[in-house]
Amino acid sequence: MEKIRIVLAGPRGRMGREAVALIQETENFELVAAVDRIHDGEYISDIEGMPNVKAPIYTDIERCFQAVKADVLVDLTTPEIGRIHTKKALEYGIRSVVGTTGFSEEDLKELKELAEEKGIGCIIAPNFAIGAILMMKFSQMAAKYFDDVEIIEMHHDQKLDAPSGTGLKTAELISEVRETKQQGHPEEKELLTGARGANYDGIRVHSVRLPGLIAHQEVLFGGFGQGLKIRHDSYNRASFMSGVKLAVDTVMKVDTLVYGLENIID
């Protein structure tokens, strides 16, 4: 079986460490290098708590791509760095699986054009948990019958973006099947700015940030005499790894940009 050669950006983060373990446990995956902001010239095995993997670490992603033959970049860094890394990977003809959020419509358009020009795949996933993808799909189904909906996304207090990529993607999917509607009383007033949450096409999105949380989301639908709640919880970061594996396997078979794992699962 031919191995998929992977460069991992962000190996020391909580998601990154899980990804290192995933690559080691997957027969057809091989970690050929890592990109990190420190530890240049060292190996993964030199980092405390990491497995004995002799994959070199680079602080410069271009130097990494020039030195190492790779098939896929798995990027688990930050929104700003992830955008740079993804573009560089595509320019070098390397497929990308990206777990960072914060890509604008302009970013996605540019990356899609670049991927199609190169004839290679790129998968950007706001959430890698399969249960979270199903939660988004079920929410889109429900929105055809309930047009009053609010989203509450809850994450750990070190998360940089609000709303989360999952919360924003859920709102986007719902808006595709829901007529624009401004919810609540037409004369309602916020006594504290932001009390009603962010407004996406009339859908209210609320972000909670607390220590102890990992990644959780509730989508609340209301109708006359009834309500519907769709909730997903990730209790640890290992829950994301099945989606990472699916994305790496799939990105080898596509030749365009795919935004969201819901587009690659039945």
Side-chain angles (χ1 to χ4, degrees):
M1 179 185 297
E2 188 172 348
K3 289 184 178 291
I4 298 174
R5 296 162 297 196
I6 298 171
V7 171
L8 174 64
R12 289 183 300 112
R14 286 168 289 191
M15 279 281 286
R17 288 175 182 269
E18 292 288 351
V20 171
L22 169 72
I23 296 167
Q24 287 300 104
E25 294 165 1
T26 305
E27 185 179 0
N28 65 317
F29 288 3
E30 179 183 2
L31 182 62
V32 295
V35 178
D36 191 18
R37 61 184 179 82
I38 57 176
H39 296 293
D40 189 53
E42 298 182 45
Y43 293 91
I44 287 290
S45 56
D46 296 327
I47 300 176
E48 185 178 356
M50 286 291 198
N52 184 27
V53 182
K54 289 298 181 182
I57 300 172
Y58 298 84
T59 53
D60 185 301
I61 197 164
E62 286 201 73
R63 193 158 57 84
C64 175
F65 291 153
Q66 291 164 3
V68 175
K69 188 172 180 58
D71 301 305
V72 177
L73 167 71
V74 174
D75 191 283
L76 303 171
T77 59
T78 64
E80 294 75 16
I81 299 301
R83 283 194 293 269
I84 296 169
H85 284 178
T86 305
K87 184 176 180 181
K88 288 294 181 185
L90 292 173
E91 288 174 347
Y92 275 84
I94 297 170
R95 299 166 188 268
S96 298
V97 170
V98 187
T100 55
T101 56
F103 288 85
S104 67
E105 289 294 330
E106 292 75 21
D107 293 330
L108 295 174
K109 183 175 182 292
E110 179 185 12
L111 293 173
K112 182 177 182 179
E113 290 174 352
L114 185 54
E116 292 179 352
E117 175 188 324
K118 296 288 186 177
I120 57 178
C122 176
I123 296 176
I124 299 174
N127 197 315
F128 281 117
I130 299 300
I133 307 308
L134 294 173
M135 175 265 296
M136 289 189 280
K137 278 182 168 285
F138 296 159
S139 296
Q140 188 182 49
M141 291 171 60
K144 296 177 182 178
Y145 305 97
F146 292 87
D147 54 7
D148 283 274
V149 54
E150 303 214 3
I151 299 168
I152 306 172
E153 57 90 354
M154 298 156 278
H155 285 78
H156 55 89
D157 61 345
Q158 298 304 301
K159 187 167 180 58
L160 298 177
D161 54 326
S164 67
T166 301
L168 186 57
K169 182 66 174 178
T170 305
E172 291 173 355
L173 290 172
I174 290 173
S175 70
E176 290 176 6
V177 299
R178 169 187 176 273
E179 293 292 331
T180 300
K181 177 181 179 180
Q182 299 304 317
Q183 298 174 176
H185 196 285
E187 296 181 10
E188 75 176 7
K189 295 180 180 178
E190 289 183 325
L191 301 183
L192 290 175
T193 301
R196 290 289 290 116
N199 187 329
Y200 185 96
D201 200 30
I203 303 165
R204 293 293 179 170
V205 184
H206 310 265
S207 296
V208 176
R209 298 291 178 266
L210 288 171
L213 298 177
I214 300 293
H216 318 263
Q217 181 166 294
E218 290 185 356
V219 186
L220 307 176
F221 295 91
F224 290 112
Q226 63 177 322
L228 174 65
K229 178 192 294 185
I230 302 173
R231 178 176 174 120
H232 176 261
D233 297 277
S234 282
Y235 300 114
N236 58 51
R237 288 168 179 80
S239 65
F240 303 118
M241 292 303 109
S242 59
V244 173
K245 183 179 185 305
L246 174 65
V248 171
D249 286 332
T250 304
V251 81
M252 297 297 295
K253 306 170 187 175
V254 298
D255 56 7
T256 186
L257 182 142
V258 177
Y259 180 54
L261 290 194
E262 71 277 1
N263 295 302
I264 63 172
I265 65 173
D266 295 331

